[in-house]
Amino acid sequence: CGYARITVNGKNLGIYSHVETIRKPLLKRDFKDDRGTLYEGTAVDFFEGRESDFKKEIGKDLIGRTQIKKLIEFLEQDDLTDVDQTIGKLVDLDSFFTFWAVEALIGFRDGYTGNADNYFVYFNPATEKLHFLPWGIDLAFEKYSKIDFTDRAPLSVKTKGRLANKLYQFGPSRQRFVSTLKQLLEDHWEEKKLIA
């Protein structure tokens, strides 16, 4: 996302946001490989029987959909002993923990981790793992949902998304989330610059 000052026939129309769509040029630049499969997640999570609800945008469906089904199978298990290692075979956890921590930091209650909504999942053939990308961040910087209000829901961590919830129940993954959050605060959260 960037900003653009728009003028038409010399008339200043003001500042507009210029949002790059999540398509092949972005995938090529950010993942160095645009041959994978991209899915949009709109009000869908990784539950049994819901794999067909992920909307394929780009790529070969069979490979990506198989990866989604495998992730659902893992998340259905109650007796996973090494949660992050098992899930890490299917999901790029370095990027997922950063994705999750940023959603928590900006109070994005309507994203994947806060509401299982407004996200993309990319199966990257180079890593053979799923990567999460945010989308539709119009409900950021909010404490609580205006639709499903509860003051008991944690403000600092979003765990409505099933993957985030499963990881948060596992001590080492919870610690990894906290350390990722602290690292982002230390490296990038410059409050005066953000407010300016």
Side-chain angles (χ1 to χ4, degrees):
C1 177
Y3 296 101
R5 184 182 309 272
I6 305 295
T7 58
V8 176
N9 297 327
K11 182 180 178 186
N12 183 1
L13 299 180
I15 302 290
Y16 284 74
S17 59
H18 180 246
V19 180
E20 179 179 20
T21 57
I22 298 178
R23 296 288 180 255
K24 284 191 172 251
L26 180 139
L27 299 173
K28 182 76 169 173
R29 184 185 67 241
D30 289 351
F31 295 101
K32 311 295 184 248
D33 196 331
D34 64 357
R35 298 172 299 122
T37 312
L38 179 70
Y39 296 92
E40 184 172 1
T42 303
V44 62
D45 206 347
F46 297 88
F47 285 100
E48 192 172 348
R50 297 291 310 271
E51 61 271 1
S52 63
D53 294 342
F54 287 87
K55 181 183 173 198
K56 183 185 75 79
E57 297 287 339
I58 295 171
K60 297 179 181 174
D61 195 33
L62 181 62
I63 297 169
R65 192 90 51 194
T66 299
Q67 198 81 345
I68 288 171
K69 287 179 185 177
K70 286 180 187 176
L71 180 57
I72 290 170
E73 288 170 11
F74 283 156
L75 293 173
E76 288 290 325
Q77 297 175 34
D78 292 328
D79 57 349
L80 283 181
T81 53
D82 200 351
V83 172
D84 57 350
Q85 186 175 5
T86 303
I87 291 172
K89 293 174 185 173
L90 302 172
V91 176
D92 183 297
L93 287 180
D94 286 339
S95 67
F96 182 77
F97 276 98
T98 301
F99 167 86
W100 180 13
V102 168
E103 286 199 343
L105 275 174
I106 65 170
F108 184 29
R109 66 156 185 85
D110 199 30
Y112 172 70
T113 61
N115 195 31
D117 197 13
N118 293 315
Y119 65 100
F120 283 89
V121 179
Y122 180 59
F123 174 72
N124 184 354
T127 63
E128 297 187 346
K129 294 185 179 187
L130 297 170
H131 296 258
F132 285 69
L133 296 94
W135 188 249
I137 306 179
D138 56 334
L139 296 173
F141 301 103
E142 293 190 12
K143 287 185 178 182
Y144 306 108
S145 168
K146 291 179 173 89
I147 298 167
D148 184 21
F149 176 80
T150 173
D151 59 1
R152 294 184 308 275
L155 295 178
S156 59
V157 83
K158 306 292 184 203
T159 58
K160 187 169 181 186
R162 192 168 191 208
L163 177 57
N165 191 291
K166 187 72 148 184
L167 289 167
Y168 200 72
Q169 304 312 312
F170 184 61
S173 295
R174 186 179 318 118
Q175 291 169 355
R176 186 173 177 182
F177 170 79
V178 170
S179 66
T180 303
L181 195 64
K182 287 179 178 178
Q183 194 67 51
L184 285 168
L185 283 168
E186 185 177 315
D187 294 346
H188 302 287
W189 199 265
E190 297 181 41
E191 189 170 333
K192 288 181 181 177
K193 285 185 179 179
L194 290 170
I195 290 172

